[in-house]
Amino acid sequence: MALILNIDTATEYATISIAQDAVVLHTAATEEQKNHASFVQPAIEQLLQQSGYSLQQLDAVAVMAGPGSYTGLRVGLSTAKGLCYALNKPLVMVGTLEVMALAAIEAYAGKPRSNRDIIFCPMIDARRMEVFTAIYNDELQALMDPTAMILVENSFHDFASSHIIVFSGSGSSKYKTLVSNPNSVDFLDVRHSASHMATLSERAVIKGLYADLAYSEPFYLKEFFSTTQRP
Amino acid sequence: MKKNTAILAIESSCDETSAALCVDGAILSNYIANQTVHEKYGGVVPELASRAHMQNIVPVVDLALKQAGIVMNEIDAIAFTQAPGLIGSLLVGAQFAKSLALALNKPLIAVHHMQAHVLANLIGDPAPTFPFLCLTVSGGHTQIVLAKSPLELEVIGETIDDAAGEAFDKSAKLLGLPYPGGPLIDRYAKEGDPARFGFAEPQIPELNFSFSGLKTSVLYFLQAETKKDPQFIENNLKDLCASIQATIIRILMKKLKKAAQQTGVKQVCIAGGVSANSGLRSALQEYGKKFGWQVFIPAFEYCTDNAAMIAITAYHKYQAGLFSGLEVSPAARAEW
């Protein structure tokens, strides 16, 4: 039972929502990636006006933790940290790939099933043939933890033999060009919405899974190495 | 003391995360977290700087508030560095500041980093009165500013290429000194002969500067000399440092003197990270005596990037009612 502000600026499509018990009350969104920093706080103000709630009434502030655009993740987390610090509210961090997988699971729910288990593989484009990806079963348990992967034809060989893999997200079209056995895969054109994030942030609050306000970092997934490092 | 205006300021334009509390123009705290991660890369790596700001921001703001003995709901305004700087670094401070302003329902004040460097001089006691001249010298900037009032700051001269701090750091690199090399040049220069070697000095019109030619002049000189004697740099390090430093200071002081003559202003300040340089400090004192200037040098913690200067600038903007909306976003470059 929680009133949660959800902030997602992980990818080009930014969404802010206010949700009560995982039901989204109001949403604001923008597709202008360069404007996320200008968008976020006015959007929050607008949602508060629409909903009639004040920030003090929130039970938690949730932010999309990553993976995603490094800058986008920092815009979200620094916004969320500021709110949590000023309001003395707990911070919740929700994994982008998990939210994407939930959207795919829901979208796939009505589809006819074969006798093979269906698993879900959301992908975020990380330039060239690299993606950020993970694999989940239809109960959102991770079968493969989030990782940065350079796609090759056999990237999911171990899973493809016994499962049907449902790919989704901005990186999945790159894998489509590599697939050799189309019978064991499916591609889903689905975008996660505010309600998918709200579902997972509500779960985190119920379980008391809060992030450390002072030192939490975005889930970058990759260490950063500069090419100019001295010996 | 009756509390009138308490301002929390955040600075995150480059590789220092800083927060400060200012009450009625007096600085109560100025906490600065340095990022040492860049040393092994020989310069500031923007992505690493952004990552470090993200981890520093809450503890730094928290410490600044605690040191000042101010609690959150006593704050009257939130200020932050809007520009110029590294965009990824600026974003962390800006978004955090905007969230504080939103959550506390207090006005937001966007501050120009270079104007703040100039107004850092107002923190000192005694502080200059208006009008005054300020030479701002750092790794990214070299400017002469005529300050007519807190909100009337006019750039009357600036570098057309490298900053003075860059000239120090790049020369240091040519000498094989580790990053940041500027402070090392200063240290070695104290034991060297500043007149031993001569380097090209630019002929730039008006009150503007150029430092890219100096770097080339040092490079060619070192190449020629090390061809004759591979140990040339090692054997002459102190004199090289002293000569390079003297050249940079001469270039700076020549234009500062010209600015004082042209404007008739006799109060002269310095600001920016390079104002920590002992050679520049003593040159300023010397010129002051010679030309009858009253010289002001801020304490070191207010010379390098710091939030106290953002707070003092914001204090004057607050009095003038210069606030920003929550849609304001940072910029790597900015008009004055």
Side-chain angles (χ1 to χ4, degrees):
Chain A
M1 295 290 283
L3 184 70
I4 302 173
L5 178 70
N6 294 292
I7 300 169
D8 173 11
T9 54
T11 57
E12 69 274 16
Y13 186 72
T15 311
I16 315 291
S17 73
I18 186 160
Q20 173 82 58
D21 307 337
V23 177
V24 173
L25 305 177
H26 294 280
T27 305
T30 180
E31 290 195 63
E32 288 180 76
Q33 187 153 27
K34 284 212 151 61
N35 278 341
H36 285 182
S38 307
F39 162 76
V40 180
Q41 279 86 2
I44 294 169
E45 210 170 28
Q46 179 200 322
L47 295 182
L48 294 170
Q49 277 165 7
Q50 286 171 346
S51 67
Y53 284 114
S54 70
L55 285 170
Q56 284 74 19
Q57 287 174 282
L58 293 173
D59 293 299
V61 176
V63 65
M64 200 72 101
S69 140
Y70 293 162
T71 299
L73 296 176
R74 278 191 291 266
V75 165
L77 186 56
S78 49
T79 299
K81 281 190 175 184
L83 292 172
C84 290
Y85 180 71
L87 299 163
N88 197 21
K89 300 286 182 187
L91 173 69
V92 171
M93 294 178 78
V94 178
T96 318
L97 291 164
E98 221 177 326
V99 173
M100 291 169 70
L102 180 62
I105 291 167
E106 282 187 11
Y108 217 72
K111 292 221 181 188
R113 307 248 167 167
S114 71
N115 50 9
R116 281 199 282 174
D117 281 344
I118 296 167
I119 56 175
F120 295 85
C121 183
M123 289 179 166
I124 297 168
D125 193 342
R127 296 192 190 152
R128 292 186 283 278
M129 285 313 283
E130 189 167 29
V131 292
F132 299 133
T133 189
I135 294 180
Y136 300 89
N137 66 15
D138 58 3
E139 290 177 339
L140 209 57
Q141 286 163 327
L143 306 179
M144 183 184 85
D145 285 331
T147 184
M149 180 188 283
I150 294 168
L151 294 171
V152 293
E153 186 186 333
N154 294 329
S155 286
F156 302 97
H157 183 75
D158 293 350
F159 290 100
S161 52
S162 53
H163 299 84
I164 289 179
I165 312 178
V166 179
F167 294 95
S168 63
S170 62
S172 62
S173 57
K174 290 196 288 199
Y175 192 57
K176 209 168 191 172
T177 62
L178 296 173
V179 169
S180 58
N181 180 6
N183 294 327
S184 61
V185 299
D186 202 349
F187 287 86
L188 207 56
D189 185 16
V190 58
R191 183 149 80 178
H192 64 270
S193 71
S195 79
H196 299 116
M197 181 172 177
T199 300
L200 296 188
S201 60
E202 173 79 13
R203 281 184 201 172
V205 169
I206 287 168
K207 290 181 188 160
L209 297 175
Y210 299 122
D212 181 86
L213 177 58
Y215 296 106
S216 57
E217 280 191 279
F219 186 33
Y220 295 114
L221 204 53
K222 280 177 85 173
E223 287 288 317
F224 183 81
F225 295 106
S226 168
T227 50
T228 57
Q229 187 165 13
R230 288 181 161 192
Chain B
M1 183 176 79
K2 182 180 169 295
K3 183 186 86 73
N4 289 317
T5 308
I7 296 174
L8 169 65
I10 294 169
E11 149 71 27
S12 68
S13 64
C14 189
D15 63 342
E16 261 124 356
T17 321
S18 179
L21 244 299
C22 151
V23 173
D24 293 340
I27 301 299
L28 300 193
S29 66
N30 180 40
Y31 197 86
I32 303 170
N34 300 105
Q35 301 178 2
T36 52
V37 63
H38 308 288
E39 281 166 14
K40 65 175 179 174
Y41 292 101
V44 176
V45 182
E47 175 62 24
L48 292 177
S50 304
R51 289 186 179 199
H53 284 303
M54 192 75 236
Q55 294 216 287
N56 289 341
I57 189 81
V58 171
V60 163
V61 169
D62 202 50
L63 280 165
L65 281 166
K66 284 186 176 133
Q67 276 180 11
I70 297 275
V71 294
M72 196 79 72
N73 60 19
E74 291 177 304
I75 296 169
D76 296 296
I78 312 289
F80 70 101
T81 306
Q82 191 218 345
L86 299 171
I87 191 72
S89 291
L90 288 165
L91 272 168
V92 175
Q95 291 309 106
F96 191 84
K98 286 196 281 178
S99 280
L100 293 186
L102 172 64
L104 302 171
N105 195 24
K106 295 295 179 189
L108 180 70
I109 302 170
V111 173
H112 191 293
H113 182 85
M114 296 307 295
Q115 295 183 353
H117 267 305
V118 175
L119 296 184
N121 281 285
L122 300 181
I123 299 169
D125 184 21
T129 53
F130 294 94
F132 64 83
L133 284 172
C134 182
L135 172 69
T136 311
V137 270
S138 70
H141 308 277
T142 305
Q143 291 182 330
I144 300 177
V145 173
L146 172 61
K148 296 172 183 166
S149 80
L151 302 172
E152 287 176 282
L153 307 173
E154 189 189 335
V155 181
I156 57 174
E158 63 190 326
T159 181
I160 59 167
D161 42 53
D162 289 355
E166 247 176 310
F168 272 108
D169 287 340
K170 285 178 177 172
S171 300
K173 206 169 180 177
L174 293 173
L175 294 173
L177 300 174
Y179 173 89
L184 288 173
I185 290 196
D186 190 20
R187 194 196 300 166
Y188 292 125
K190 283 174 188 158
E191 297 167 35
D193 175 5
R196 172 94 186 278
F197 305 110
F199 300 102
E201 287 181 37
Q203 302 299 318
I204 305 294
E206 308 299 330
L207 298 170
N208 291 330
F209 302 95
S210 167
F211 287 100
S212 64
L214 173 65
K215 174 189 61 189
T216 314
S217 172
V218 172
L219 174 68
Y220 288 165
F221 177 74
L222 292 177
Q223 279 176 346
E225 293 299 325
T226 46
K227 207 174 271 177
K228 288 182 266 177
D229 170 16
Q231 302 299 310
F232 178 77
I233 294 175
E234 290 82 343
N235 293 340
N236 298 282
L237 187 62
K238 288 170 181 171
D239 291 344
L240 282 165
C241 287
S243 301
I244 291 167
Q245 174 157 315
T247 308
I248 295 171
I249 291 169
R250 221 165 23 242
I251 296 168
L252 291 169
M253 295 310 296
K254 190 174 143 191
K255 294 300 173 87
L256 191 56
K257 182 181 141 197
K258 194 171 174 183
Q261 281 168 344
Q262 279 182 13
T263 59
V265 173
K266 295 255 178 199
Q267 291 184 99
V268 183
C269 311
I270 51 174
V274 179
S275 56
N277 181 280
S278 63
L280 180 60
R281 285 174 177 242
S282 50
L284 191 66
Q285 299 291 4
E286 187 190 308
Y287 274 63
K289 270 181 206 145
K290 202 161 152 191
F291 301 108
W293 300 346
Q294 201 183 343
V295 167
F296 299 88
I297 301 174
F300 181 65
E301 66 167 317
Y302 305 130
C303 286
T304 50
D305 290 349
N306 68 89
M309 69 184 194
I310 305 302
I312 194 83
T313 307
Y315 173 65
H316 290 285
K317 292 187 91 167
Y318 183 93
Q319 290 181 315
L322 296 172
F323 304 124
S324 293
L326 291 173
E327 75 292 341
V328 66
S329 63
R333 293 169 186 281
E335 290 300 308
W336 192 250

